[in-house]
Amino acid sequence: MGTRARLPTLIRSLQKEAQPKPTCQQSLPSLRRAFSLYDQINLIDNVPNDQLRFQRYTDSGFTVNGVDYEGSLLCVGNMLMSWAPKKFSEITSDSLSIFQTVRPVPEILILGCGRYIEPVSPELQRFIRSTGMKLEAIDSKNAVSTYNILNEEGRIVAAALLPYGISS
């Protein structure tokens, strides 16, 4: 019985020893102030000069690294090209044939469908898979954001983008 009576006392003394004793009474700065939205935006905008960064989209084009582009765009890694399709129905394996020769093969093709997500034909899906890429078909607004994030992570990514104002 004597051991049982001492057990709670022993546990309490061990708990007191395990608690860290504050060495300094200084309070920590608020994370809310330390990482304001303004700071986050500035961190995101500080990307290398040779890296593509979509900054804006419009109904008729995109702003990339401070330059306005009208019409559809094709991005492979950090290369930017004008792209022929003007509407979703014009996106074919021929319009994406550059991916048969591009090396290294991008891990994903982000297909910006315009204002709305469009279903991709099985034929086009097969073609994209045959190149070794995965496909993500989304609206162009989200496509440029996704491209920025993946590109900033250093991943090999491609994007085929119709302007946001395009709808089928």
Side-chain angles (χ1 to χ4, degrees):
M1 287 287 225
T3 306
R4 285 190 183 183
R6 285 184 277 183
L7 190 58
T9 307
L10 178 61
I11 291 173
R12 277 195 297 271
S13 69
L14 289 174
Q15 287 174 338
K16 285 181 186 177
E17 287 178 15
Q19 291 177 352
K21 295 183 176 145
T23 57
C24 180
Q25 294 298 325
Q26 195 174 21
S27 63
L28 295 174
S30 165
L31 285 179
R32 190 169 297 190
R33 280 192 357 226
F35 297 103
S36 69
L37 181 59
Y38 178 77
D39 292 334
Q40 291 174 23
I41 291 169
N42 281 342
L43 288 172
I44 291 170
D45 282 341
N46 291 330
V47 295
N49 291 335
D50 65 339
Q51 192 173 52
L52 291 181
R53 171 109 176 96
F54 283 87
Q55 297 162 313
R56 192 168 65 97
Y57 63 90
T58 65
D59 282 350
S60 60
F62 305 91
T63 302
V64 183
N65 293 11
V67 179
D68 292 332
Y69 294 91
E70 290 293 314
S72 302
L73 294 177
L74 194 62
C75 309
V76 182
N78 286 315
M79 295 185 310
L80 185 64
M81 301 165 250
S82 182
W83 190 42
K86 304 286 183 241
K87 55 187 178 179
F88 189 80
S89 61
E90 295 175 4
I91 300 173
T92 64
S93 54
D94 286 340
S95 70
L96 296 171
S97 63
I98 189 171
F99 294 111
Q100 292 176 313
T101 57
V102 168
R103 298 294 178 263
V105 176
E107 63 181 270
I108 186 169
L109 172 64
I110 302 164
L111 183 58
C113 304
R115 188 172 302 274
Y116 304 107
I117 298 171
E118 299 283 344
V120 178
S121 72
E123 175 189 324
L124 190 55
Q125 288 178 21
R126 276 191 299 278
F127 170 76
I128 293 168
R129 273 196 308 271
S130 76
T131 65
M133 294 185 296
K134 295 181 175 90
L135 174 65
E136 183 69 31
I138 51 180
D139 63 278
S140 294
K141 173 176 62 171
N142 289 305
V144 296
S145 296
T146 303
Y147 178 86
N148 283 344
I149 291 167
L150 295 176
N151 197 31
E152 287 169 15
E153 288 177 352
R155 294 170 65 182
I156 300 171
V157 61
L161 306 164
L162 295 172
Y164 190 68
I166 304 293
S167 58
S168 55

